[in-house]
Amino acid sequence: MSDQQKINIAEQRVQQIIDQVINFWLAQNKAIDTFLNQHPDEVYLQEVAPGRNRAVYVLAHLIATNDGLLPLFGFGEKLFPEIAPLATEGESAVDFELSFKDLKKQWESLNLFLEKRFRELTPEEWLGKHNSVSDADFLLDPQRNKLNVLINRASHQNYHRGQLIFLNERKVLAKLS
Amino acid sequence: MSDQQKINIAEQRVQQIIDQVINFWLAQNKAIDTFLNQHPDEVYLQEVAPGRNRAVYVLAHLIATNDGLLPLFGFGEKLFPEIAPLATEGESAVDFELSFKDLKKQWESLNLFLEKRFRELTPEEWLGKHNSVSDADFLLDPQRNKLNVLINRASHQNYHRGQLIFLNERKVLAKLS
């Protein structure tokens, strides 16, 4: 095999894995979308289990978390700073009523924006540091890169989808009873 | 830059990303471990929310799912075939009482075994097909490879951890009341 062929194979592998990670993230978004389009809006104003968060809050939390990727990846300022506190705090951290309709639109437009920017990043940028790690810390731990952040954020969505899904069965049960 | 340097950089990137994905999987296991070691064993015999699965079942389900990676990746037969049905079915699919103590040991030994085998796979093997996709289907969709399976299985654990964590707060609440 020529050197050029070896370079091509290795570079194609890097690009394939990056594409797979982006697709993994898109698949997690889609699973949330499917869930959000399954019931009348009122259902999402309920708690996912007795005494737990409301589904509408979980959606706001996921938007605030994805929105945080913009400054973290150097894509600019957050699109929805008014719900930014919900990335780390409970529903009472904002002083307005969450609108499920508005949040659904924000979720969709934010994820379209992010996908577009993700597709533009080079392998070097994906494996480069994100903005909340210092140069010195990144030298010590090169795994603190953008690709790793994306895998973890996508999986974080799955963590909350596991909770959201409880609403589903409650509705079915309520219908049956 | 010489061709050899280009080959090295690209090959190092592939290996780095694969290592990151293995570390991501290990981190999800560790998060489950931490949760399993947090309470007296009896707590895990409770349902995670009223009318939901018991935590001990969720653990058996996660073991059965990880155990399925052995034949899927060509590592041999499943270590715990007696709980294999729990990968896809509910608790009633086995006719014995689940032992939390035994399951914790199975979880740990299985994950140690898997990590060892994962470390031995080459990049070519990681991006090669798994055993439940045909050669023809793999040609059509090369993303049906082992690395993608691992990302998804790790995230699947996070989905269920999101549900398990509900137990946590219930215990705290019970103590406070």
Side-chain angles (χ1 to χ4, degrees), chain B residues 1-139:
Chain B
M1 196 188 295
S2 75
D3 280 358
Q4 192 53 52
Q5 283 171 314
K6 283 185 193 167
I7 297 171
N8 290 348
I9 288 178
E11 288 184 347
Q12 278 164 15
R13 280 182 184 156
V14 175
Q15 192 58 54
Q16 181 184 349
I17 302 178
I18 289 170
D19 289 344
Q20 287 186 190
V21 171
I22 296 175
N23 286 344
F24 167 64
W25 182 76
L26 290 173
Q28 305 316 307
N29 292 349
K30 202 176 165 185
I32 298 276
D33 292 346
T34 303
F35 175 76
L36 297 178
N37 291 316
Q38 207 162 23
H39 303 301
D41 286 6
E42 315 81 86
V43 173
Y44 303 97
L45 304 181
Q46 294 177 32
E47 297 168 332
V48 298
R52 305 299 175 186
N53 285 317
R54 298 194 300 151
V56 68
Y57 163 76
V58 175
L59 174 57
H61 166 70
L62 292 179
I63 295 169
T65 309
N66 278 356
D67 206 11
L69 292 174
L70 274 69
L72 198 64
F73 283 21
F75 294 162
E77 296 300 308
K78 289 174 190 167
L79 299 182
F80 310 113
E82 68 281 6
I83 55 168
L86 303 181
T88 51
E89 293 173 64
E91 205 169 332
S92 63
V94 297
D95 60 1
F96 54 88
E97 180 61 22
L98 297 171
S99 155
F100 183 70
K101 259 191 198 2
D102 292 350
L103 289 170
K104 263 176 81 169
K105 280 184 208 149
Q106 293 177 345
W107 170 254
E108 280 163 29
S109 62
L110 173 64
N111 290 342
L112 280 173
F113 175 86
L114 283 170
E115 182 189 356
K116 193 173 170 300
R117 301 305 304 266
F118 289 160
R119 300 279 185 206
E120 293 164 356
L121 291 180
T122 63
E124 193 174 354
E125 287 169 323
W126 275 116
L127 294 177
K129 78 179 199 70
H130 55 72
N131 286 337
S132 77
V133 60
S134 69
D135 291 338
D137 285 346
F138 186 64
L139 270 178

Side-chain angles (χ1 to χ4, degrees), chain A residues 142-157:
Chain A
Q143 300 217 351
R144 300 180 70 176
N145 54 51
K146 298 187 190 74
L147 194 68
N148 234 349
V149 169
L150 189 63
I151 294 177
N152 279 285
R153 290 292 164 94
S155 180
H156 167 255
Q157 288 184 194

Side-chain angles (χ1 to χ4, degrees), chain A residues 1 5-21 123 147, chain B residues 7 10-11 13-15 17-18 122-128 143 145 147:
Chain A
M1 195 188 294
Q5 283 171 315
K6 284 184 193 167
I7 297 170
N8 290 349
I9 287 178
E11 287 184 348
Q12 278 164 15
R13 281 182 183 155
V14 176
Q15 193 57 55
Q16 180 184 349
I17 303 178
I18 290 170
D19 289 343
Q20 287 185 190
V21 171
L147 194 68
Chain B
I7 297 171
E11 288 184 347
R13 280 182 184 156
V14 175
Q15 192 58 54
I17 302 178
I18 289 170
T122 63
E124 193 174 354
E125 287 169 323
W126 275 116
L127 294 177
Q143 300 217 353
N145 54 52
L147 194 69

Side-chain angles (χ1 to χ4, degrees), chain B residues 142 161 163:
Chain B
R161 194 167 62 85
Q163 300 176 332

